[in-house]
Amino acid sequence: MLYFDHAATTPMREITKQTWLEMSSHYNPAGQYGLGRRARSVLDDAREQVAALLGCEPIEVIFTSSGTEADNIAIRGLYHSRASYQRVITTSIEHAAVYETANSLRAFGADVQFLPVTDNGIVHDPAGLLSQPAAVMSCMWANNETGALQPLEEIIAAATVTGTPVHVDAVQVAGKLAIDFAALGATTLAISGHKFGGPRGVGVLIAKRSPAPAAVLTGGGQERGIRPGTVDVAGAAAFAAALAEADTQREAEQARLGQLKELLRSTILATIDDVRINTPEHSLATHLNVSFPGCEGDSLIMLLDSFGFATATGSACANGVNRASRVLLAQGVPEAVARGTLRLTMGYTTTQADVEKLVEVLPKAVALARQAGMASHTL
Ligand code: PLP
């Protein structure tokens, strides 16, 4: 099986497995005896390593169970910490972890407003909505479906003028682009281990000391009380080791994957008629989102699966539900076109031979899916 769904999850690195196994016999890091102190020191090392890699202070690193949890804690917590503001600003292309979280705040009186995107899938005119202060602004760094990179500097600069805290969902970016939290000027930032070959079920929220998100979970005082609960020491150590390895390989890997993406894009355009590329130029090297009008995305995925390729239509969380992607609709892709979309994403295990094999079978898969698509339209 050739794997083209790295944006959903990336195969775990060897260093992740080894580190996890090595650290898995540690005890509760809150224990005051030697065994506890030893676990604590492993956790402290992991925290320091993550902080050094992400340009923040160790105290700003909060281990969570996922990117989704980190997004929830940040957005809910910042909203509740700023009781005098009702407005929550985000974008129409966020992952469900942010989009649904922002929408759920309506139950607490929030006025949720969405920044629009251009037909390239890039957020535009952030200064408009951000000219007045809001409880919180949340924006992704790179879109999980198209890979489009967002104008974070502009967003953070506009929000800073009115003192609006900014949460950055950097889940797709960690391990691919350099992250310097202090230089970025955001209030909080979320990443997730399984997107860069780290452990599944471990995320990190970077949270400035002030303004800090109010605690939305209650329990012990772990992780500054912002994420109470016994920390998974082995998971934290494995996360740090994976991020360190991804960081060392980052520049060479992104250059290599950028070339593979260009090979994929240009061959698709040369061998298949009537194709729409939804990934803009300014995007991650790993993502190519492409629509084949006349196809149903689900048919394409099933056909490619039968040919030995794992691909996706969009966000994995939306799979199983046959509808056009909210992200593509927001960037103006017509619904009928958006339904015939493939998200092809690559990572450190992808080779040129994988890409060559994929482009060889794609024309056949698209032709078959178009026949099936037309059959269903004429029924
Ligand atoms: N944010 C983005 C942009 C994502 O791509 C994902 C996962 O697909 C998440 C948040 C959620 O991360 P996790 O799977 O760790 O909960």
Side-chain angles (χ1 to χ4, degrees), residues 7-9 64-71 93-98 140-145 169-173 190-195 200-203 287 315-317 343:
T9 200
T64 69
S65 68
S66 60
T68 300
E69 191 190 15
D71 283 331
I93 55 165
E94 296 301 307
H95 184 275
V98 167
M140 59 191 354
W141 190 327
N143 183 268
N144 48 301
E145 294 188 33
D169 178 344
V171 168
Q172 289 292 330
V173 159
I191 67 172
S192 178
H194 73 111
K195 304 290 186 183
R200 309 217 163 90
V202 185
H287 288 49
S315 158
C317 314
R343 175 184 75 169

Side-chain angles (χ1 to χ4, degrees), residues 10 18 21-22 35 50 71 90 109 144 146 171 177 196 251 254 296 312 370:
T10 284
Q18 276 168 26
L21 260 185
E22 206 179 303
L35 291 172
V50 170
D71 283 331
T90 185
N144 48 301
T146 64
V171 168
L177 301 181
F196 51 83
E251 281 181 21
Q254 294 312 297
E296 286 291 345
R370 280 184 170 152

Side-chain angles (χ1 to χ4, degrees), residues 263-310:
L263 175 66
L264 191 55
R265 196 189 70 88
S266 56
T267 319
I268 289 174
L269 286 172
T271 56
I272 305 174
D273 286 338
D274 194 14
V275 169
R276 180 184 169 125
I277 304 282
N278 303 311
T279 293
E281 181 77 30
H282 190 50
S283 56
L284 292 172
T286 42
H287 288 49
L288 188 72
N289 186 300
V290 49
S291 298
F292 303 97
C295 293
E296 286 291 345
D298 287 358
S299 317
L300 269 175
I301 283 174
M302 299 317 285
L303 281 159
L304 287 167
D305 192 29
S306 72
F307 296 155
F309 298 86

Side-chain angles (χ1 to χ4, degrees), residues 200-248:
R200 309 217 163 90
V202 185
V204 153
L205 175 69
I206 309 293
K208 267 188 176 168
R209 280 179 228 241
S210 174
V216 292
L217 297 170
T218 43
Q222 295 96 337
E223 303 300 274
R224 291 162 55 197
I226 292 174
R227 202 282 187 171
T230 304
V231 182
D232 170 5
V233 171
F239 180 104
L243 189 59
E245 184 177 273
D247 192 63
T248 333

Side-chain angles (χ1 to χ4, degrees), residues 14-349:
E14 277 314 307
I15 189 86
T16 308
K17 297 178 198 170
Q18 276 168 26
T19 309
W20 193 90
L21 260 185
E22 206 179 303
M23 300 302 176
S24 59
S25 47
H26 281 291
Y27 291 79
N28 191 326
Q32 286 166 319
Y33 33 78
L35 291 172
R37 287 196 301 276
R38 237 173 280 159
R40 176 75 191 200
S41 128
V42 172
L43 182 58
D44 288 347
D45 287 350
R47 197 184 302 285
E48 277 167 28
Q49 199 176 2
V50 170
L53 290 163
L54 299 179
C56 65
E57 292 174 41
I59 192 154
E60 294 175 324
V61 175
I62 293 168
F63 285 104
T64 69
S65 68
S66 60
T68 300
E69 191 190 15
D71 283 331
N72 266 264
I73 292 175
I75 297 166
R76 290 177 194 284
L78 287 170
Y79 178 73
H80 290 303
S81 73
R82 287 168 57 83
S84 46
Y85 298 98
Q86 252 69 57
R87 279 189 334 131
V88 171
I89 303 173
T90 185
T91 82
S92 45
I93 55 165
E94 296 301 307
H95 184 275
V98 167
Y99 193 79
E100 299 301 335
T101 302
N103 275 326
S104 77
L105 291 174
R106 291 182 208 273
F108 298 92
D111 172 13
V112 186
Q113 301 179 346
F114 298 93
L115 287 171
V117 292
T118 61
D119 56 7
N120 275 335
I122 296 173
V123 169
H124 82 114
D125 192 22
L129 280 184
L130 287 167
S131 62
Q132 297 298 316
V136 54
M137 155 74 203
S138 183
C139 185
M140 59 191 354
W141 190 327
N143 183 268
N144 48 301
E145 294 188 33
T146 64
L149 291 164
Q150 303 303 325
L152 274 189
E153 273 182 26
E154 196 185 334
I155 288 170
I156 294 169
T160 306
V161 173
T162 63
T164 300
V166 178
H167 171 63
V168 174
D169 178 344
V171 168
Q172 289 292 330
V173 159
K176 298 178 191 134
L177 301 181
I179 298 179
D180 184 341
F181 180 73
L184 191 62
T187 311
T188 51
L189 179 143
I191 67 172
S192 178
H194 73 111
K195 304 290 186 183
F196 51 83
R200 309 217 163 90
V202 185
V204 153
L205 175 69
I206 309 293
K208 267 188 176 168
R209 280 179 228 241
S210 174
V216 292
L217 297 170
T218 43
Q222 295 96 337
E223 303 300 274
R224 291 162 55 197
I226 292 174
R227 202 282 187 171
T230 304
V231 182
D232 170 5
V233 171
F239 180 104
L243 189 59
E245 184 177 273
D247 192 63
T248 333
Q249 301 168 348
R250 185 167 44 77
E251 281 181 21
E253 266 299 280
Q254 294 312 297
R256 185 183 75 85
L257 291 168
Q259 284 173 0
L260 294 189
K261 172 169 153 175
E262 186 43 33
L263 175 66
L264 191 55
R265 196 189 70 88
S266 56
T267 319
I268 289 174
L269 286 172
T271 56
I272 305 174
D273 286 338
D274 194 14
V275 169
R276 180 184 169 125
I277 304 282
N278 303 311
T279 293
E281 181 77 30
H282 190 50
S283 56
L284 292 172
T286 42
H287 288 49
L288 188 72
N289 186 300
V290 49
S291 298
F292 303 97
C295 293
E296 286 291 345
D298 287 358
S299 317
L300 269 175
I301 283 174
M302 299 317 285
L303 281 159
L304 287 167
D305 192 29
S306 72
F307 296 155
F309 298 86
T311 60
T313 49
S315 158
C317 314
N319 277 359
V321 184
N322 188 10
R323 56 168 190 235
S325 141
R326 160 174 60 77
V327 169
L328 295 183
L329 295 180
Q331 70 182 69
V333 179
E335 183 172 354
V337 176
R339 286 178 69 131
T341 298
L342 268 188
R343 175 184 75 169
L344 303 168
T345 53
M346 304 178 289
Y348 76 99
T349 58

